[in-house]
């Protein structure tokens, strides 16, 4: 077997010896599970991820959902995938090219084949390669027999038949039996990578608590798969990816959307206020709504609004009343929320708008990631409408960024835009659980003193106005979208006053700079031949690529931005220490334009707009070409 | 409330700036006069508006106020009321704000039955933008944007509200101070979304829009005041009534042979009757009063109950436990 190529040659023992079969050590393996959307590939992938995490690997995962809910069985459009990168080293991405593909049918094979490493292992359910499935996948001949897969190592397993044999006698109908196939695959791979299946059995017991016959069936099939791996001639050896050196502590696996939801809950708890989410369902942001709807006892209010506008508006209403108020959406929803965000900016009420970016324009590719909403976040409102923007770089980082977004919103009395994307939202990584006691406090002080109260008097340092909530005697006041007089907020059409207010709000947002921590350059802070500048989910592939070229002695560094508005005060001087600045982003060059406009730096872009994250190799190759001139 | 409130407690220091003769002055006067009777302190009262002439209203009330964006007041009010059920939340909107750009929010707040009070000032014209037809303008209306006459079929605010199964639907008239005050009181007493269409004159762009029901000489014969449990009688001499002719209502002259017993008796809890009355148009009289009022759980009440139930079942939220939920593992 060729899993994976970088470890080739480490095979110490001959596979001809009798059992036990040899274990071969590997540093890193990328597996992709692919099948029909009803084949349970997401579950299989997540469960294998848990097993790998328990085995101490560093991991990163990415599901790849089809756009259709349930496309016709066996078609290309219906293929659902889940990719897992697990390693004995630090992992930054879900992996470029899988070493192992599990394909439950011909369509799953066909849609994923071009992503595989040469010589990758392909495990197929051969019974699914029947004439009709082959035709439905658009093949003219059976790929298992026409030599088109000769450059791969194909392992054919009759998963369907073996599954049905394993559940024989349990009285399951064909359909129910068929649905257990994923557990056979999981069992087989668990043996192949020497993962104990105990944790999976516990998880199955929870899942099928109320259906004992399905629990029995799934455990039988899982065990059958494991034993099949061990006893058949199909696999010459098993593999071991040893534990990674990971910071000690308590971990859980977390997706970006779940981390975002938890970050908001944590912020509300630290602020001592209820959390209010007003949101309209939209892919890929809806999971934040789903998660928060389960946290009512904190208390968390979730309001599924009639539309995107009502989502953000209800949050503005809740903020007026003193709640930690947020809304969640994706690009199309951001378009609709623009006017209301402008209102929140002008009346200076704290809300957080999370944009889980997806591939546009228009409806675009809803399940695929992109970073093309940065300009919209910066400038997507009429008038001079500065709004702080922060962006999360990894799934777990979504927690910190959600928390930070609330902190800034409340401290500066301003809407804050949090940018994540579909890659972060659904991707997962191990998360070192934060200690709630050590999270920064979020200070909420409502105005209470009527003496000399002015709704737009400002804190001299932050320029923040008081948060005076209804119910407070003596502070009755009116706010609104019309141009407001300095200090009182009363309607005013004075030209000079309007300019004063526009400039004051801009200064307030710009002033957030003072608390942005100094830039951490990965590489050489003193400068070098090239710095790759990134933001958001490109963190993983950029960091891994820069690591690789630095390992070869190249003078290349990486700077990654969390704060996009305002940008860090030391960004300009940091970038100017490098001979060249390359901005890698999943858009046509939006951060690039900002950096060039703001700092007169002759940066250039590296862009990808395919609804797919950068591969590490793409960035690595690009860096090498740049360095070669 | 221990202290007695008076009108002045609700009057802000801002100069009122509607056009001379605008019906909004009368509505403001009625609201400021009536609010003290509710016994709710100004600090616990919030007025939220959208955009339009009517939406300047919050500036003139010495309560908390929020002049928001076009059509969105019900959504903002919903967020506030859900998270602050202790507050008395009022929405002021108009026929353009509430039924055109904000139509979606209006129908959804009504169907949810959020406990807010909505005053829809209907002058059947866009006043702030200086005279275009509105979604309640009559077909054929000549305006700046419809020189050949409007071809839009209009909305009827009452039947729109009834169509959403709004739980309190009423109509009053800007200059009918006593009636308007009574409607405001009823609206305030109601738990759930209260919707009052207030017929309002625009002296600049739609003068006399509701002349038949407001003109002293005409109104008695064109206004039908609805009172729960009472027969539908109108006319200067209270000698006309509404009778059912099969499935159709008709106006009849009371006489020796046609008596009160033959007339329809108003029942606020009858949705079909409310719809029928909502559809009245000349030659039938224009009904004012409460068309429909029923009790249904409020949205904000139910949301907050779910929070209480969740806390009772799961205990108060424990952040440490929440963060560590699910499969965890320890790295040494």
């Amino acid at each position: 077997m060729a899993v994976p190529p970088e470890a080739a040659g480490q095979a110490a023992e001959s596979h001809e010896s009798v059992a036990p079969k040899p274990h071969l050590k590997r540093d890193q393996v990328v597996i992709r599970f692919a099948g029909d959307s009803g084949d349970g590939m997401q579950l299989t992938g997540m469960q294998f991820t848990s097993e790998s995490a328990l085995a101490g690997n560093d991991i990163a995962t990415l599901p790849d959902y089809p756009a259709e809910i349930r496309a016709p069985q066996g078609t290309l459009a219906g293929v659902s995938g889940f990719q897992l990168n697990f390693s004995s080293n630090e992992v930054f991405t879900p992996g470029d090219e899988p070493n192992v593909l599990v394909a439950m049918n011909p369509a799953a094979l066909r849609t994923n084949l071009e992503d595989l490493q040469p010589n990758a292992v392909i495990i197929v359910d051969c019974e699914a390669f029947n004439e009709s499935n082959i035709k439905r996948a658009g093949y003219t001949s059976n790929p298992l027999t026409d030599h088109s897969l000769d450059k791969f190592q194909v392992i054919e397993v009759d998963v369907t038949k073996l599954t049905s044999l394993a559940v024989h006698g349990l009285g399951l109908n064909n359909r129910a039996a068929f649905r257990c196939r994923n557990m056979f695959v999981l069992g087989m791979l668990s043996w192949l990578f020497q993962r104990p299946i105990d944790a999976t059995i516990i998880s199955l017991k929870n899942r099928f608590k109320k259906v004992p016959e399905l629990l029995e069936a799934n455990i039988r099939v899982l065990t059958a798969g494991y034993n099949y791996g061990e006893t058949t001639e199909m696999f010459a050896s098993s593999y071991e990816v040893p534990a990674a050196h990971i910071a000690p502590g308590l971990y859980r696996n977390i997706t970006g959307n779940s981390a975002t939801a938890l970050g908001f809950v944590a912020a509300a708890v630290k602020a001592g206020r209820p959390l209010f989410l007003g949101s309209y369902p939209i892919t890929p942001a809806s999971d934040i709504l789903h998660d928060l709807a389960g946290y009512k006892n904190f208390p968390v209010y979730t309001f599924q609004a009639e539309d995107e506008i009502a989502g953000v508006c209800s949050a503005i209403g809740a903020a007026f009343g003193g709640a930690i108020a947020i809304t969640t959406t994706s690009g199309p929803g951001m378009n609709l929320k623009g006017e209301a965000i402008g209102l929140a900016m002008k009346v200076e009420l704290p809300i957080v708008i999370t944009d889980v970016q997806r591939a546009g324009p228009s409806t675009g590719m809803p399940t695929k990631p992109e970073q093309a909403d940065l300009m919209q976040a910066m400038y997507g409102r009429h008038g001079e409408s500065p709004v702080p923007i922060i962006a999360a770089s990894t799934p777990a980082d979504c927690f910190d960024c959600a928390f930070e977004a609330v902190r800034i919103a409340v401290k500066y009395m301003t809407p804050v835009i949090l940018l994540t994307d579909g890659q972060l939202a659904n991707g997962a990584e191990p998360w070192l659980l934060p200690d709630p006691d050590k999270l920064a406090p979020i200070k909420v002080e409502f105005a209470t003193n009527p003496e000399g109260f002015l709704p737009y008097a400002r804190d001299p340092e932050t320029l923040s106005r008081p948060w005076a909530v209804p119910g407070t005697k003596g502070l009755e006041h009116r706010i609104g979208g019309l141009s407001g007089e300095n200090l009182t907020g009363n309607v005013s059409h004075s030209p000079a006053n309007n300019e004063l207010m526009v400039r004051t709000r801009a200064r307030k947002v710009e002033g957030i700079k003072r608390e942005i921590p100094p830039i951490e350059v990965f590489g050489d802070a003193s400068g070098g031949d090239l710095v790759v500048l990134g933001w958001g989910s490109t963190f993983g592939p950029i960091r891994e690529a820069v690591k690789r070229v630095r390992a070869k002695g190249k003078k290349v560094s990486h700077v990654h931005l969390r704060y996009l508005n305002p940008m860090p005060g030391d960004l300009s001087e940091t970038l100017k220490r490098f001979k060249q600045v390359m901005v890698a982003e999943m858009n046509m060059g939006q951060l690039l334009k900002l950096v060039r406009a703001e700092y007169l730096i002759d940066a250039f872009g590296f862009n990808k707009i395919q609804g797919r994250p950068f591969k590490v190799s793409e960035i690595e190759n690009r860096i090498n070409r740049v360095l070669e001139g | 409330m221990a202290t007695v409130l008076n009108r002045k407690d609700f009057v802000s220091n801002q100069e009122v700036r509607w056009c001379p003769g605008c019906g909004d002055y009368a509505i403001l006067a009625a609201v400021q006069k009536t609010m003290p009777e509710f016994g709710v302190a100004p600090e616990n009262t919030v007025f939220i508006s959208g955009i339009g002439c009517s939406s300047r209203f919050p500036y003139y009330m010495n309560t908390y106020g929020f002049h928001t964006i076009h059509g969105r007041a019900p959504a903002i009010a919903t967020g506030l009321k859900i998270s602050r059920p202790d507050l008395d939340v009022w929405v002021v909107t108009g026929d353009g704000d509430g039924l055109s750009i904000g139509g979606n929010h209006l129908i959804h707040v009504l169907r949810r039955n959020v406990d807010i009070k909505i005053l829809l000032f209907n002058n059947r014209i866009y006043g702030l933008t200086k005279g275009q037809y509105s979604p309640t303008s009559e077909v054929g209306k000549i305006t700046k944007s419809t020189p050949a006459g409007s071809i839009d079929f209009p909305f009827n605010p009452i039947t729109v509200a009834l169509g959403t199964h709004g739980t309190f639907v009423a109509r009053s008239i800007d200059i009918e101070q006593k009636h308007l005050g009574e409607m405001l009181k009823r609206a305030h007493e109601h738990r759930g979304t209260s919707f009052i269409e207030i017929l309002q004159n625009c002296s600049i762009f739609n003068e006399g829009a509701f002349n038949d029901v407001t003109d002293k000489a005409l109104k008695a014969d064109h206004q039908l005041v609805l009172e729960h449990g009472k027969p539908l009688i109108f006319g200067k001499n209270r000698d006309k009534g509404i009778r059912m002719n099969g499935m159709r209502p008709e106006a009849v002259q009371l006489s020796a042979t046609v008596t009160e017993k033959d007339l329809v008796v108003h029942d606020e809890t009858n949705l079909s009757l409310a719809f029928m009355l909502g559809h009245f148009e000349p030659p039938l009289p224009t009904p004012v009063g409460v068309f429909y009022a029923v009790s249904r759980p409020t949205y904000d009440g139910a949301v907050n109950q779910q929070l209480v139930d969740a806390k009772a079942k799961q205990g108060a939220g424990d952040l440490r436990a929440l963060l560590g939920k699910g499969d965890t593992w320890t790295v040494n």
Side-chain angles (χ1 to χ4, degrees):
Chain A
M1 283 191 51
V3 180
E6 63 262 38
Q10 286 183 12
E13 296 174 55
S14 156
H15 60 71
E16 282 161 20
S17 57
V18 285
K21 291 181 186 175
H23 299 327
L24 306 183
K25 277 206 168 66
R26 294 290 178 264
D27 293 340
Q28 184 181 29
V29 174
V30 177
I31 298 185
R32 188 181 293 174
F33 299 90
D36 249 339
S37 45
D39 280 346
M41 291 296 97
Q42 303 298 327
L43 180 72
T44 311
M46 283 188 282
Q47 203 55 51
F48 193 74
T49 302
S50 292
E51 291 181 5
S52 298
L54 287 170
N57 293 138
D58 197 10
I59 51 185
T61 65
L62 183 69
D64 183 23
Y65 302 114
E68 287 80 6
I69 310 286
R70 281 283 158 90
Q73 212 175 12
T75 60
L76 298 176
V79 175
S80 168
F82 185 99
Q83 186 163 315
L84 163 67
N85 183 1
F86 58 108
S87 173
S88 54
N89 295 314
E90 202 180 357
V91 158
F92 293 102
T93 75
D96 282 5
E97 289 144 350
N99 321 104
V100 179
L101 171 70
V102 174
M104 299 298 278
N105 65 19
L109 176 70
R110 185 146 188 238
T111 46
N112 291 289
L113 203 56
E114 64 170 27
D115 296 337
L116 299 183
Q117 276 190 5
N119 219 19
V121 172
I122 302 173
I123 300 171
V124 296
D125 178 4
C126 53
E127 191 165 310
F129 282 70
N130 55 41
E131 206 173 317
S132 72
N133 277 348
I134 287 169
K135 212 172 137 194
R136 223 173 282 163
Y139 281 116
T140 48
S141 59
N142 186 346
L144 300 183
T145 54
D146 67 5
H147 299 287
S148 62
L149 303 177
D150 282 356
K151 63 174 174 171
F152 303 104
Q153 309 210 19
V154 181
I155 297 174
E156 296 180 35
V157 181
D158 200 341
V159 178
T160 305
K161 191 172 150 205
L162 291 163
T163 299
S164 108
L165 286 174
V167 299
H168 183 72
L170 286 177
L172 256 54
N173 63 32
N174 284 345
R175 188 179 150 78
F178 187 77
R179 287 175 63 98
C180 296
R181 291 192 310 156
N182 61 338
M183 285 300 120
F184 193 92
V185 171
L186 181 59
M188 210 161 54
L189 285 173
S190 298
W191 175 81
L192 190 58
F193 293 98
Q194 293 298 295
R195 304 283 181 234
I197 53 174
D198 317 14
T200 298
I201 291 175
I202 292 170
S203 158
L204 287 172
K205 281 180 178 166
N206 281 328
R207 196 178 169 82
F208 294 110
K209 228 182 320 202
K210 289 175 184 160
V211 225
E213 63 275 21
L214 286 184
L215 172 63
E216 175 65 22
N218 275 282
I219 292 177
R220 273 204 207 175
V221 174
L222 175 73
T223 315
Y226 192 92
N227 294 339
Y228 179 85
E230 190 166 50
T231 51
T232 62
E233 293 291 316
M234 206 69 81
F235 302 103
S237 57
S238 64
Y239 295 86
E240 191 192 342
V241 178
H245 295 286
I246 297 174
L250 188 62
Y251 283 81
R252 76 185 263 197
N253 203 34
I254 194 127
T255 66
N257 273 348
S258 289
T260 303
L262 292 176
F264 285 130
V265 176
V269 168
K270 293 306 251 187
R273 301 297 307 158
L275 181 67
F276 179 96
L277 166 68
S279 185
Y280 187 73
I282 187 170
T283 302
S286 305
D287 281 337
I288 303 174
L289 168 63
H290 305 160
D291 278 12
L292 287 175
Y295 305 153
K296 290 186 176 17
N297 58 328
F298 273 80
V300 174
Y301 291 97
T302 52
F303 170 58
Q304 183 176 317
E306 58 270 25
D307 59 27
E308 292 281 356
I309 298 171
V312 63
C313 283
S314 62
I316 292 171
F320 186 48
I324 300 300
I326 60 170
T327 186
T328 48
T329 189
S330 188
M334 279 300 276
N335 299 167
L336 291 164
K337 292 183 196 295
E339 186 191 13
I341 298 170
L343 174 71
M345 182 281 312
K346 192 274 157 186
V347 297
E348 301 180 58
L349 280 174
I351 60 167
V352 176
I353 305 99
T354 303
D355 176 2
V356 185
Q357 298 168 96
R358 68 190 215 187
S362 192
T363 311
M365 297 190 282
T367 59
K368 312 296 179 196
E370 199 170 81
Q371 295 183 304
D373 294 353
L374 176 57
M375 285 301 191
Q376 176 172 223
M378 280 294 289
Y379 301 120
R381 295 163 297 283
H382 68 282
E384 296 291 351
S385 181
V387 171
I389 304 166
I390 63 178
S393 57
T394 72
D397 189 45
C398 291
F399 176 88
D400 296 330
C401 286
F403 191 91
E404 175 70 349
V406 172
R407 192 188 68 80
I408 291 175
V410 167
K411 181 168 178 181
Y412 292 89
M413 291 293 283
T414 176
V416 174
I417 295 173
L418 168 62
L419 295 176
T420 71
D421 65 37
Q423 164 92 353
L424 297 172
N426 293 316
E429 65 176 347
W431 178 39
L432 177 59
L433 297 184
D435 180 348
D437 297 337
K438 289 181 182 154
L439 292 171
I442 293 180
K443 211 162 86 182
V444 172
E445 270 179 305
F446 295 140
T448 52
N449 186 4
E451 207 165 312
F453 169 74
L454 290 165
Y456 288 87
R458 288 172 194 280
D459 177 276
E461 192 205 338
T462 60
L463 299 182
S464 176
R465 79 175 186 94
W467 198 355
V469 301
T472 318
K473 194 173 169 60
L475 302 190
E476 297 87 350
H477 65 284
R478 276 64 57 192
I479 60 174
L482 282 170
S483 188
E485 186 184 53
N486 190 27
L487 303 174
T488 66
N490 289 335
V491 176
S492 165
H493 285 171
S494 149
N497 177 75
N498 189 63
E499 177 155 345
L500 172 68
M501 297 317 293
V502 166
R503 289 191 183 280
T504 302
R505 288 188 295 265
R507 268 204 300 143
K508 177 178 83 168
V509 171
E510 191 63 17
I512 296 169
K513 255 193 180 135
R514 78 175 79 82
E515 50 178 300
I516 299 178
I519 288 174
E520 285 178 32
V521 178
F522 174 78
D524 308 307
S526 57
D529 293 332
L530 174 70
V531 61
V532 183
L533 177 66
W535 65 281
S537 71
T538 53
F539 173 82
I542 297 176
R543 180 57 53 94
E544 181 66 31
V546 169
K547 260 182 97 170
R548 286 188 197 170
V549 297
R550 287 185 64 81
K552 289 174 188 150
K554 307 278 170 62
K555 289 180 174 142
V556 178
S557 299
H558 176 200
V559 167
H560 210 75
L561 296 182
R562 168 183 282 185
Y563 299 88
L564 292 160
N565 191 39
M567 289 198 239
D570 56 349
L571 180 60
S572 173
E573 55 173 275
T574 304
L575 297 180
K576 282 174 180 164
R577 288 187 218 126
F578 293 86
K579 286 183 195 151
Q580 297 193 81
V581 179
M582 179 171 94
V583 186
E585 37 183 350
M586 293 190 286
N587 58 39
M588 295 269 281
Q590 301 193 6
L591 177 61
L592 174 69
K593 282 197 184 74
L594 292 176
V595 166
R596 290 178 64 97
E598 197 72 19
Y599 304 118
L600 286 176
I601 288 174
D602 191 16
F604 60 93
F606 181 42
N607 308 96
K608 183 171 181 179
I609 321 110
Q610 300 177 9
R612 282 187 157 195
F614 284 109
K615 288 181 179 176
V616 176
S617 58
E618 289 169 340
I619 297 179
E620 188 183 358
N621 294 341
R622 179 64 185 219
I623 291 172
N624 286 330
R625 283 208 305 280
V626 168
L627 293 177
E628 283 156 16
Chain B
M1 283 303 302
T3 48
V4 177
L5 298 162
N6 61 48
R7 180 182 164 275
K8 276 188 188 158
D9 292 320
F10 291 90
V11 178
S12 84
N13 61 1
Q14 295 295 293
E15 186 193 347
V16 184
R17 288 188 193 166
W18 286 305
C19 306
C22 177
D24 291 357
Y25 284 96
I27 302 172
L28 178 64
V31 171
Q32 286 174 336
K33 181 169 176 287
T34 314
M35 296 234 54
E37 298 179 30
F38 302 155
V40 177
E43 71 263 23
N44 293 324
T45 304
V46 184
F47 274 85
I48 299 179
S49 63
I51 295 292
C53 297
S54 61
S55 290
R56 296 294 183 98
F57 199 94
Y59 291 118
Y60 310 133
M61 295 295 297
N62 189 37
T63 61
Y64 282 87
F66 198 169
H67 180 209
T68 72
I69 46 177
H70 209 1
R72 317 303 171 200
I76 289 172
T78 297
L80 179 62
K81 184 66 188 180
I82 290 173
S83 57
R84 290 291 307 276
D86 56 311
L87 299 172
D88 225 24
V89 181
W90 295 72
V91 164
V92 178
T93 183
D95 41 320
D97 189 61
L99 288 167
S100 194
I101 193 166
N104 198 33
H105 308 304
L106 185 73
I107 59 174
H108 286 280
V109 76
L110 280 161
R111 92 175 152 84
R112 290 190 183 106
N113 201 32
V114 182
D115 188 16
I116 64 173
K117 315 299 147 202
I118 300 172
L119 310 180
L120 186 141
F121 300 5
N122 181 13
N123 59 13
R124 309 185 82 175
I125 198 79
Y126 281 108
L128 192 71
T129 49
K130 299 191 172 68
Q132 298 83 17
Y133 76 106
S134 90
T136 57
S137 296
E138 59 278 19
V139 173
K141 182 101 183 158
I142 308 272
T143 71
K144 284 179 188 157
S145 60
T146 51
S150 150
I151 53 176
D152 284 30
F153 188 80
F155 261 145
N156 173 337
I158 296 294
T159 54
V160 168
L162 292 171
T164 67
H165 285 219
T167 55
F168 180 94
V169 179
R171 178 189 282 148
S172 192
I173 299 168
D174 52 3
I175 56 171
E176 299 274 357
Q177 291 289 293
K178 187 162 171 288
H179 186 263
L180 181 53
E182 283 166 17
M183 289 303 105
L184 291 169
K185 269 181 253 175
R186 285 288 310 273
H188 183 260
E189 281 163 16
H190 178 73
R191 294 276 71 83
T193 310
S194 304
F195 176 83
I196 309 180
E197 177 198 12
I198 303 172
L199 307 183
Q200 176 239 324
N201 192 44
C202 174
S203 53
I204 307 295
F205 298 106
N206 206 13
E207 172 66 13
F210 300 103
N211 219 22
D212 57 336
V213 287
T214 56
D215 185 276
K216 282 203 171 104
L218 301 171
K219 71 176 189 181
D221 286 333
H222 293 89
Q223 222 187 69
L224 172 65
V225 181
L226 305 174
E227 287 178 277
H228 183 62
K230 299 207 174 144
L232 300 177
I233 297 178
F234 66 105
K236 200 184 287 177
N237 304 316
R238 296 193 59 76
D239 58 352
K240 295 176 198 166
I242 303 297
R243 180 176 73 176
M244 293 307 290
N245 180 0
M247 296 290 280
R248 287 179 186 276
E250 62 180 5
V252 291
Q253 186 74 40
L254 291 176
S255 64
T257 52
V258 181
T259 68
E260 272 190 35
K261 283 185 184 157
D262 298 310
L263 303 182
V264 176
V265 174
H266 186 46
D267 175 1
E268 289 174 359
T269 64
N270 182 338
L271 185 59
S272 303
L273 176 61
F275 261 112
M276 187 187 82
L277 291 166
H279 285 124
F280 271 26
E281 53 186 45
L284 291 171
T286 300
V288 297
V290 178
F291 287 73
Y292 187 58
V294 291
S295 174
R296 200 170 76 214
T298 66
Y299 183 84
D300 45 298
V303 168
N304 279 280
Q305 189 58 47
Q306 286 194 339
L307 263 55
V308 170
D309 293 347
K311 202 171 161 187
K313 203 172 157 195
Q314 304 161 25
D318 175 348
L319 186 56
R320 190 179 299 275
L322 178 68
L323 299 183
K325 220 167 136 186
D327 292 340
T328 57
W329 69 95
T330 302
V331 174
N332 296 311

